[in-house]
Amino acid sequence: MIKTELGTLRRSHYSNELNPSMDGLEVTIMGWVLTIRGHGNISFATIRDKNGDIPIVAKKGDCPDELREKLSILKAHSSIAITGRIKSSEKAPTGFEIIPSELRVFSDVEKIPPFEPLAKTVKNIDTRLEVRPIDLRRKTLQHIFNARSQVLKSIRDYFYQQNFIEINTPKMIATATEGGAALFPIFYYNKEAFLAQSPQLYKEQLIMSFEKVFEIAPIFRAEPSRTNRHLAEAISVDLEEAFVDYNDVMNRIEDIIKIAIVTVSDYAKNNSDVEFIIPSKPEHIPRYSYDELIEKMQKAGAKTEWGDDLYPSNLKKIGVEGFYFIKDWPLGPKPFYVKDSKTNPKISESFDLMFGDLELSSGSTRIEKRHELEERMKNKGMKTDAFEYHLGAFDYGVPPHAGCGIGLERLIMALTGTENIRDVTFYPRDVDRLTP
Amino acid sequence: MIKTELGTLRRSHYSNELNPSMDGLEVTIMGWVLTIRGHGNISFATIRDKNGDIPIVAKKGDCPDELREKLSILKAHSSIAITGRIKSSEKAPTGFEIIPSELRVFSDVEKIPPFEPLAKTVKNIDTRLEVRPIDLRRKTLQHIFNARSQVLKSIRDYFYQQNFIEINTPKMIATATEGGAALFPIFYYNKEAFLAQSPQLYKEQLIMSFEKVFEIAPIFRAEPSRTNRHLAEAISVDLEEAFVDYNDVMNRIEDIIKIAIVTVSDYAKNNSDVEFIIPSKPEHIPRYSYDELIEKMQKAGAKTEWGDDLYPSNLKKIGVEGFYFIKDWPLGPKPFYVKDSKTNPKISESFDLMFGDLELSSGSTRIEKRHELEERMKNKGMKTDAFEYHLGAFDYGVPPHAGCGIGLERLIMALTGTENIRDVTFYPRDVDRLTP
C-alpha cells in the first residue's frame, strides 16, 4: 500500500541541497510532480519543490514494483514524498538522479489542468486566475513573487536603518480621505463606514509623535477602470516624515528605487532562468517641473495648455523615459492637504514618480496649520465638520511634514518588466473579479 | 518677526546626538514644547523630539528679546525649531543647555490638552483616544509602539532567515472563511462581499506553490464584545507551511516568542525609562493536551466535562501561567479545514498558544485532501458550492500543511505587560469606536 499521510516523515533535503557527490546517500524529498514519462519497465519523473527540480528514475528491479507502477500513473501536480538513494549519473542534467525506495502520495490529481505547468505564457489571464494556486507554480510567477518578497524586505530594511517606525493605521474609516470618489462602503455594526483609500490622514497625525513613519498595507479603491495597471485592492508603501519637505521625500524615493533595483538584479543573478527586464540603476532620478514639461510639449507641437494633465502620448512626444519625477503640479486638482508653493500660489509642492508613462508614486509637502487646511477644504466644498477627528490634531502643534505613497504592484511591474498588474498580484481584485 | 515656515532649514542634530563636549557648537533642533517656565528675564523650555528631550535657556541679553518673549508664551505641544549654541552646564541634568539665537514656530497651540504630556496614566481611555495623536506623544505609549515596531522587524527577519516568502492575500472576499459569523459586509461594486476575517484559505492555497509563506496584515472581525482584549480590526501574523504538521508550527511559535522577548528586553535595556513588565524567556514552552487539562481541572474540583471550553477561572485553578500551549482540542467546534487526529477521530491536530488566560495564537494541521474537506463542510452544514474557488485548488495536489495566526496586539500586550489592547493599537476599532 502506498501511504497517503505525512505522519512523522520529514523532508531531509531541498532540491538545491542535492548534488552528485552525495552518491549513495538516502534522502527524503518532497514536492509536486512536474513531469512523468513511463516506458514499461522504467519511469522517469521530475519532482519540483520551491527551490528547483529533482530527477527520479524508477527502474524495475531497482525499486518496488508497486512504487514504480503508482509513480508511472501519477498526473502532473500530484503532491508526493520520495525516499531513495542518490545515484550520480552523467546522463542526468543535474549530474544525479534518485532511485526511490518509498513513495507517499498526499494528494492524487484527477483533473487535467487547463495549461501545462511548464508553459511560459498562457494567453488568457482569466483562465490562469481561475486556477491561481496552480498558475503560481509556473516559474515565471515564482520568480516575480520571490523577487517581490525580497524587494519588500529591502525597502523595510531601508526604513529601519533610517530610524522610521512601522505603523498600522485603520482600514475601516468614517469619512473619505480625498473627498468621496471611488470608495467601498461597509456596514460597520449599525453605522456606515468606508474602506481606506490611503493611510494619508493617519500617517500625518502620527508624525506628531513618531516623526518618521512607514506602513506597507492594503489600500482600497473602487476603480471603475478595466486596465492593466489598476486594482481595486493594492499594496501601498507609505512614508511620512516630520520637519522635511517634498524634496527630501524625493531623495528617499531615489534611495528606495536604487535599493529595489539592486535587490531584483541580485535575485536575477542568483537564479539563472529569470527573464525579468530590469531597468538600469539611475545615478540620479531627473526632476522635471510641470511647467518645464508643458513648455517642451508645446514646443514639440502638442496641443496642451497649462493646467492640463500630462498625457502619455505627450510624454512620449518629448521623449522622457525610465524613472523621472514630475514636480510642482498645479495646485487646483491636488487634495486639500497638499501645500502650495510659497513662491507661486498656483502651484503645489508635489511630485509624481514616473516610470515611462506609469505613475509609481505621488507625494507632497503637507499643510501643517489648521487654518490653512480649513480654507483649502472650504474652497473644495468639503465639510470640515466631518473631518474634525483629523483637524482636531492640528490644534496641538503638527510639525511641517511631507510624504508619499508608492504603489508596490506598479513598482514590481517596473522592476521586472511585467505588463499586467495582475501578474504581480497574488489574487487580483478588480471591477470584474472578486474570486478566487 | 518669528518665522513660521520650515523653508530650507533642517535639523542638524537629534536630542540624543547632543552632549556637553559640543560646547560652543551651533545646532538646529526641532521638536515640540514639553514644558515652558518663564521668570521675567529668563525662560526655560524643554523641547522633545522622537529620541528625547533638549533643555533651552533663553536669558535676556543672551538671545533676541523677541525670541525670548515668544518662547515664554508658547503652550505645550507647539511645534518649533531652535537654532542656538550648546553651552555645557553642570546644573542641567543633561550636562548642557541650548542658548537660542533663532526660533521658528510652525504650529502655535491655542488649546489646552485634556491631560498633561508628562502624565504617566490618564484614567479615561476614551478621553485619550479622542485626541490620540497627542496621547501618542506620551513616553509610555512611545515606548510601546517603538518596541512593537522592533518586534515586527525581528519576526519578519526570522521568517526571511527561515526562507519564508512574504505574501499579501485579498481583504475583500466573496465568502466567509469560517462559516459566516462576525463578518463586515461590503458593497463591492454591484455585488455583496465581505472583509476577510483571516487569510486562511489563501495562505493554504499559496503553500502549493511557495511552500513557506507568511503575511502580517489586518484582519476584520465584527466582534460584538466590549472587552480589553478584542478589536474589530487587528493585525495578524500568519504563517503557513507545506510538508509539516502542527508540532512543527508550535516549534516555530516557540522560536518567535523567544525572539520577540529578546527584542523587547533589548529595547528596555536601551531605554532607561521603560516600564514594561517583560515575561522571562522560556527554555521551552510547555504543551498540555486538552484531555490532560480537563482531567487536572476535574481533580481540582472544577465542574467541567470533556468537550467544554477551558474557562479562565478553571485555568487559574490548576495554576497554569506564562506561555503555554493547549493542544489536541476536540474536533467538533474546530473549523472545517482543521485535521483530525489519525489516532483519535474525536480530537484535532490543533493548538492554542496561551499567555496566562490570554489566547495569543491558534493553529493546526490542515486537511489536504478534497474529499475529506468536503465531508467536513457538509457535516457542518456549509455549502460547498460557495467555496468552489477554494476547493478547486484541491484538485491539483495540495501538500500536507499546517499553520497558525498570531494576534500581534495580544502578543505586544503579553510582552509589555499592557492590560488594554487599545494601548497597543494606534487607532483602535471596536463596536463603539470608528474614529479618530
Side-chain angles (χ1 to χ4, degrees):
Chain A
M1 261 301 278
I2 301 290
K3 286 189 184 167
T4 68
E5 292 293 323
L6 179 67
T8 56
L9 189 71
R10 291 293 178 274
R11 165 155 43 200
S12 69
H13 295 81
Y14 281 98
S15 54
N16 59 332
E17 294 166 340
L18 302 174
N19 65 63
S21 77
M22 297 158 91
D23 187 79
L25 188 72
E26 189 182 80
V27 296
T28 298
I29 59 112
M30 303 195 182
W32 53 277
V33 175
L34 184 68
T35 57
I36 294 270
R37 283 179 301 135
H39 301 282
N41 289 336
I42 187 162
S43 289
F44 302 93
T46 305
I47 307 305
R48 177 167 282 182
D49 67 20
K50 77 187 184 72
N51 296 342
D53 299 343
I54 306 162
I56 312 290
V57 178
K59 201 172 158 186
K60 193 174 170 82
D62 281 358
C63 65
D65 285 349
E66 187 199 24
L67 187 159
R68 200 187 74 252
E69 281 153 23
K70 177 69 190 175
L71 188 68
S72 69
I73 57 164
L74 281 180
K75 289 210 176 61
H77 287 293
S78 301
S79 169
I80 68 171
I82 281 175
T83 301
R85 287 196 188 278
I86 295 187
K87 189 184 158 194
S88 71
S89 152
E90 285 181 8
K91 273 180 282 176
T94 46
F96 71 90
E97 51 205 28
I98 288 179
I99 314 299
S101 54
E102 198 199 326
L103 167 69
R104 295 198 190 188
V105 180
F106 305 123
S107 297
D108 230 342
V109 171
E110 303 291 336
K111 276 199 178 174
I112 305 290
F115 48 85
E116 283 292 305
L118 283 169
K120 267 197 188 165
T121 51
V122 176
K123 272 181 191 160
N124 188 339
I125 192 162
D126 281 308
T127 305
R128 293 201 283 111
L129 292 175
E130 285 301 324
V131 289
R132 190 62 163 171
I134 61 156
D135 182 29
L136 289 167
R137 280 180 162 173
R138 293 187 311 120
K139 270 279 174 195
T140 322
L141 294 181
Q142 284 277 305
H143 286 317
I144 287 176
F145 288 100
N146 282 325
R148 177 188 185 278
S149 179
Q150 291 299 314
V151 168
L152 279 169
K153 178 181 187 308
S154 54
I155 293 177
R156 282 207 196 83
D157 284 347
Y158 170 78
F159 284 131
Y160 280 115
Q161 279 156 14
Q162 298 287 322
N163 296 310
F164 279 71
I165 171 178
E166 179 162 2
I167 58 168
N168 291 99
T169 64
K171 303 308 159 206
M172 297 189 292
I173 58 170
T175 49
T177 311
E178 325 257 325
L183 281 170
F184 287 111
I186 333 168
F187 287 110
Y188 188 80
Y189 299 100
N190 54 354
K191 288 194 270 293
E192 185 190 51
F194 303 96
L195 287 178
Q197 291 170 299
S198 101
Q200 184 61 36
L201 307 186
Y202 292 100
K203 66 178 181 164
E204 283 194 60
Q205 292 177 24
L206 289 171
I207 56 87
M208 285 182 74
S209 40
F210 298 101
E211 296 193 21
K212 295 162 91 171
V213 302
F214 79 95
E215 177 172 23
I216 302 180
I219 56 170
F220 305 90
R221 300 192 180 183
E223 295 275 2
S225 336
R226 285 182 176 84
T227 78
N228 281 347
R229 40 177 76 176
H230 289 89
L231 290 171
E233 182 175 342
I235 301 295
S236 180
V237 177
D238 271 278
L239 72 91
E240 198 76 18
E241 194 170 350
F243 303 113
V244 302
D245 71 12
Y246 72 140
N247 293 301
D248 304 270
V249 176
M250 283 189 273
N251 294 343
R252 293 254 177 241
I253 291 186
E254 217 169 281
D255 289 346
I256 290 170
I257 293 295
K258 286 178 190 175
I259 288 165
I261 291 174
V262 170
T263 304
V264 175
S265 303
D266 286 349
Y267 181 84
K269 263 178 228 155
N270 297 330
N271 293 275
S272 58
D273 57 340
V274 166
E275 296 185 348
F276 298 158
I277 302 165
I278 307 172
S280 55
K281 194 174 93 175
E283 194 60 42
H284 178 72
I285 299 180
R287 301 177 187 188
Y288 306 116
S289 75
Y290 171 87
D291 282 15
E292 189 183 344
L293 292 185
I294 284 281
E295 207 173 299
K296 274 190 192 170
M297 285 173 179
Q298 286 168 340
K299 277 188 188 154
K303 277 187 189 160
T304 189
E305 289 184 4
W306 197 94
D308 286 354
D309 206 348
L310 301 181
Y311 300 105
S313 57
N314 290 342
L315 287 169
K316 262 180 205 162
K317 264 193 192 124
I318 57 170
V320 283
E321 52 181 24
F323 293 102
Y324 61 96
F325 290 103
I326 307 175
K327 61 173 194 159
D328 304 332
W329 287 84
L331 182 64
K334 286 286 165 189
F336 70 92
Y337 50 79
V338 173
K339 196 157 188 160
D340 53 316
S341 158
K342 292 303 160 198
T343 53
N344 177 354
K346 279 172 69 186
I347 67 170
S348 60
E349 293 201 350
S350 66
F351 66 83
D352 285 353
L353 172 71
M354 306 292 294
F355 180 73
D357 64 3
L358 187 66
E359 183 191 320
L360 302 186
S361 173
S362 215
S364 62
T365 313
R366 328 294 194 180
I367 294 172
E368 76 272 15
K369 294 176 178 70
R370 178 168 178 149
H371 66 94
E372 287 183 26
L373 267 183
E374 284 184 318
E375 204 178 292
R376 287 286 298 286
M377 291 176 88
K378 278 175 199 154
N379 287 345
K380 287 187 172 286
M382 292 169 74
K383 286 178 190 158
T384 53
D385 288 1
F387 287 86
E388 189 51 39
Y389 76 91
H390 177 60
L391 290 169
F394 291 77
D395 288 332
Y396 300 104
V398 172
H401 59 290
C404 70
I406 305 170
L408 177 68
E409 291 84 359
R410 289 186 176 189
L411 176 62
I412 304 296
M413 288 169 76
L415 293 172
T416 58
T418 305
E419 279 179 18
N420 193 330
I421 199 165
R422 289 163 190 79
D423 273 330
V424 298
T425 309
F426 287 98
Y427 292 92
R429 290 289 180 262
D430 62 39
V431 60
D432 301 313
R433 182 167 288 283
L434 176 62
T435 56
Chain B
M1 263 300 281
I2 301 290
K3 286 188 185 168
T4 66
E5 293 292 325
L6 179 66
T8 56
L9 188 72
R10 290 294 178 274
R11 165 155 45 200
S12 69
H13 295 80
Y14 280 99
S15 54
N16 60 331
E17 294 166 338
L18 302 173
N19 65 63
S21 76
M22 297 159 89
D23 186 79
L25 188 73
E26 188 181 80
V27 297
T28 297
I29 60 112
M30 302 194 182
W32 53 277
V33 175
L34 184 68
T35 58
I36 293 272
R37 283 179 301 132
H39 300 284
N41 289 337
I42 187 164
S43 289
F44 302 93
T46 305
I47 306 306
R48 178 166 282 183
D49 68 21
K50 79 187 185 71
N51 296 342
D53 298 343
I54 307 161
I56 312 291
V57 178
K59 200 173 160 186
K60 193 176 171 81
D62 279 357
C63 65
D65 284 350
E66 188 200 22
L67 187 159
R68 201 187 74 251
E69 282 154 19
K70 178 68 189 173
L71 188 69
S72 69
I73 57 165
L74 281 180
K75 290 209 175 61
H77 286 294
S78 301
S79 170
I80 69 171
I82 281 175
T83 301
R85 283 192 191 280
I86 294 187
K87 190 184 158 194
S88 70
S89 152
E90 285 183 6
K91 273 179 281 175
T94 46
F96 71 88
E97 52 205 27
I98 287 177
I99 315 300
S101 53
E102 197 200 328
L103 167 68
R104 296 197 190 187
V105 181
F106 304 123
S107 298
D108 232 342
V109 170
E110 303 290 337
K111 276 199 178 172
I112 305 289
F115 50 84
E116 284 291 307
L118 283 169
K120 265 197 191 166
T121 52
V122 176
K123 272 182 190 159
N124 187 339
I125 191 162
D126 280 310
T127 307
R128 293 202 282 110
L129 291 175
E130 285 301 324
V131 289
R132 191 62 163 171
I134 62 158
D135 182 30
L136 290 168
R137 279 180 164 173
R138 295 185 312 119
K139 270 280 173 196
T140 321
L141 294 181
Q142 284 277 304
H143 286 316
I144 288 175
F145 287 99
N146 282 325
R148 177 188 186 278
S149 178
Q150 290 299 314
V151 168
L152 279 170
K153 179 182 185 308
S154 54
I155 293 177
R156 280 206 198 83
D157 284 348
Y158 170 78
F159 284 131
Y160 281 116
Q161 278 155 16
Q162 298 288 320
N163 296 312
F164 279 72
I165 170 178
E166 180 163 1
I167 58 168
N168 290 98
T169 64
K171 303 310 159 204
M172 298 190 290
I173 58 169
T175 50
T177 311
E178 326 259 323
L183 280 170
F184 288 111
I186 334 169
F187 287 110
Y188 187 81
Y189 300 98
N190 54 355
K191 290 194 268 297
E192 186 189 49
F194 303 96
L195 286 177
Q197 291 170 299
S198 101
Q200 185 61 36
L201 307 187
Y202 292 100
K203 66 178 182 165
E204 283 195 62
Q205 291 178 23
L206 288 172
I207 55 88
M208 285 182 74
S209 38
F210 297 101
E211 294 192 23
K212 296 163 90 171
V213 302
F214 80 96
E215 178 171 23
I216 302 181
I219 55 169
F220 305 90
R221 299 192 181 183
E223 294 275 1
S225 335
R226 285 182 177 82
T227 79
N228 282 347
R229 41 178 75 177
H230 289 89
L231 291 170
E233 183 176 341
I235 301 295
S236 180
V237 177
D238 272 277
L239 73 90
E240 198 75 21
E241 195 171 347
F243 303 112
V244 302
D245 72 12
Y246 72 142
N247 293 301
D248 304 271
V249 176
M250 284 189 273
N251 294 344
R252 294 255 177 240
I253 290 185
E254 216 170 280
D255 289 345
I256 289 169
I257 294 295
K258 287 179 189 174
I259 288 167
I261 291 174
V262 170
T263 304
V264 174
S265 304
D266 286 348
Y267 181 84
K269 265 179 226 155
N270 297 330
N271 293 274
S272 57
D273 58 340
V274 166
E275 295 183 349
F276 298 158
I277 303 165
I278 307 172
S280 56
K281 193 174 94 176
E283 196 59 41
H284 179 71
I285 299 180
R287 301 177 186 187
Y288 306 118
S289 75
Y290 171 88
D291 282 14
E292 188 183 344
L293 293 185
I294 283 283
E295 207 172 299
K296 275 191 191 169
M297 285 173 179
Q298 286 168 342
K299 277 188 187 155
K303 277 189 188 158
T304 190
E305 290 183 5
W306 197 94
D308 286 353
D309 206 349
L310 301 181
Y311 300 105
S313 57
N314 289 342
L315 287 169
K316 264 179 204 158
K317 265 195 190 119
I318 55 169
V320 281
E321 51 182 23
F323 294 101
Y324 60 96
F325 290 102
I326 308 174
K327 60 173 194 160
D328 303 334
W329 287 84
L331 182 65
K334 286 287 166 188
F336 69 92
Y337 50 78
V338 173
K339 196 156 186 160
D340 54 314
S341 157
K342 292 301 159 198
T343 54
N344 178 354
K346 278 173 69 186
I347 66 171
S348 59
E349 293 200 350
S350 66
F351 65 84
D352 286 351
L353 171 71
M354 306 292 294
F355 179 73
D357 64 3
L358 187 65
E359 183 192 322
L360 303 185
S361 173
S362 215
S364 61
T365 312
R366 330 294 194 180
I367 295 173
E368 76 273 14
K369 293 176 179 69
R370 178 168 178 148
H371 66 95
E372 287 184 26
L373 268 182
E374 283 184 319
E375 203 178 291
R376 286 287 298 285
M377 292 176 88
K378 278 175 198 155
N379 287 343
K380 288 189 170 285
M382 293 169 74
K383 287 178 189 157
T384 53
D385 287 1
F387 287 86
E388 188 52 38
Y389 74 92
H390 178 61
L391 291 170
F394 290 77
D395 288 332
Y396 299 104
V398 173
H401 59 291
C404 70
I406 305 170
L408 177 68
E409 292 83 0
R410 290 185 175 189
L411 176 63
I412 303 295
M413 289 170 74
L415 294 171
T416 58
T418 305
E419 278 178 18
N420 193 329
I421 199 165
R422 290 163 189 78
D423 274 329
V424 298
T425 310
F426 287 97
Y427 291 93
R429 290 289 181 264
D430 61 39
V431 60
D432 300 314
R433 182 166 289 282
L434 178 62
T435 57

